[in-house]
Amino acid sequence: MPAHPHTVLDLAARVGALLLGSAAAASEVVDTMRDIARTAGLSEVTADVTYSEIVLADRSPGAAPTTRIENIRGRSFNYGRYIDVTRLVDRFVRGDLDVDQALDEVGQIERGAGRYPWWMTRLAAGVAGASAALIFGGGWLVMAFAFVANMVVDWAFARLGPRGWPVFFLQLLTGAIAVAAAAAAALVDPGVDSSLVVVSVIILMLAGQTSTGAVLDAVMGWNLTAVGRIFEAVMNTVGLVVGIKAGMLVADRIGIDLQITANVAPEALPLAVLLGAAALIAFGFGAFAQMSPLVVLAASGLTTLGYLAFNTGVDADLGTLWASGTAALIVGALAPLPARWLQAPSAVFAGIAIIPMLPGVLLYRGLLLTPDDFVGGVALLVEALATAVLLASGVALGEYLTSVTWRRLRRFESRFVPVFLKPFTRRPKTGRRLAR
């Protein structure tokens, strides 16, 4: 007999909460929940997503209205969970799982501790931070302090996050840790660039990924979640700036002179070094985000190609803004390839690949500079927003073009594609009878 509507909505809501909490776009979350309901035979289900809540309602003819509300308890860039949930939904839509089996697997994903042990993800965070230091021209000393400090930050998040600490205060603590690392580096080498140490430490916590995801929601028409994510990005970066300012005040009181300014930008290094650093950032972040080794390697390769396109655009005098947009277009066009082969959402590969180009540093610089130079700070904030817009729209357009081409060649039939491409993919059949 068909599954009860309450059970179906429970499955859809829990899947939606996992996706939204793993940085999936709001449009993808809604479309996935509707696919689940339609597959289970509920054709009159409406779904809505706010920043912190999912609402599902079934108004099928001849049945009492049923509503399911799910709160979003936490957010993280857990791309491994994102991939696992998407694969589960794909199997459910294809008929390989019934509702009860899918609910059991959802429970396992919710309880899962992650693909890698804690010490490996901590090392991955350190590798990503040290690699970012290299892109910004940091030497071995800066890279070493960035490596250690990023592991300390990951430890703090792992310890304090589950205890209910608001993200704002965790970001504030991160800023203070970054200043402490800069002070320690200055004691070892008084000539070290304190600003470079700070940015290298906080690079994984900067809100570039959140701001780009917010712009993608806005492009797709999900303005409420877009506003929520933009505000989250700003508040997280404000937390970093407050922590940095507080750390500088303490350092000054104990006699350590730290010159931390907003004048930080990627260094003009040999191309091979920059590409290697970009690949290591992707490798470290991918492992930190609990992605499987094959997916991490594919994402690292795509990151290298994307950063190569970015540097080529800069060398061609396109400017960093349009070079970022062009690189994002290329990344988006290539992302469906590993998505198809490795059965993972193309958004995961694209999201990793644009990390070296994200506007988080611009957002940080703008907020740090604004109190002293309002016009200059606002100009940086506008540039950060423009970069996020071009990255998000470039990725979306590139995925669209590749997916349409593959569909015409009868080769692209997968749900691991951007949501707005669904008219070009197969829809699940409705009314399939599932076991209770």
Side-chain angles (χ1 to χ4, degrees), residues 145 300 345 405:
F145 275 96
S300 299
T405 302

Short mmCIF file of all heavy atoms in Angstrom, two decimals, residues 145 300 345 405:
data_model
loop_
_atom_site.label_atom_id
_atom_site.label_comp_id
_atom_site.label_asym_id
_atom_site.label_seq_id
_atom_site.Cartn_x
_atom_site.Cartn_y
_atom_site.Cartn_z
N PHE A 145 52.79 28.98 10.87
CA PHE A 145 51.85 29.51 11.87
C PHE A 145 50.41 29.39 11.38
O PHE A 145 49.50 29.15 12.17
CB PHE A 145 52.20 30.95 12.20
CG PHE A 145 53.25 31.08 13.27
CD1 PHE A 145 54.58 31.25 12.93
CD2 PHE A 145 52.91 30.98 14.61
CE1 PHE A 145 55.56 31.36 13.92
CE2 PHE A 145 53.88 31.08 15.60
CZ PHE A 145 55.22 31.25 15.25
N SER A 300 40.10 19.06 -6.83
CA SER A 300 41.40 19.72 -6.87
C SER A 300 41.84 19.99 -8.30
O SER A 300 42.38 21.06 -8.61
CB SER A 300 42.46 18.86 -6.15
OG SER A 300 42.12 18.68 -4.79
N PRO A 345 26.90 15.97 -6.76
CA PRO A 345 26.34 17.20 -7.33
C PRO A 345 27.43 18.08 -7.95
O PRO A 345 28.51 18.25 -7.38
CB PRO A 345 25.70 17.89 -6.12
CG PRO A 345 25.48 16.82 -5.12
CD PRO A 345 26.59 15.84 -5.33
N THR A 405 23.76 20.99 -23.67
CA THR A 405 24.47 20.31 -24.76
C THR A 405 24.44 18.81 -24.58
O THR A 405 24.16 18.06 -25.52
CB THR A 405 25.92 20.81 -24.84
OG1 THR A 405 25.93 22.22 -25.04
CG2 THR A 405 26.66 20.13 -25.98
#
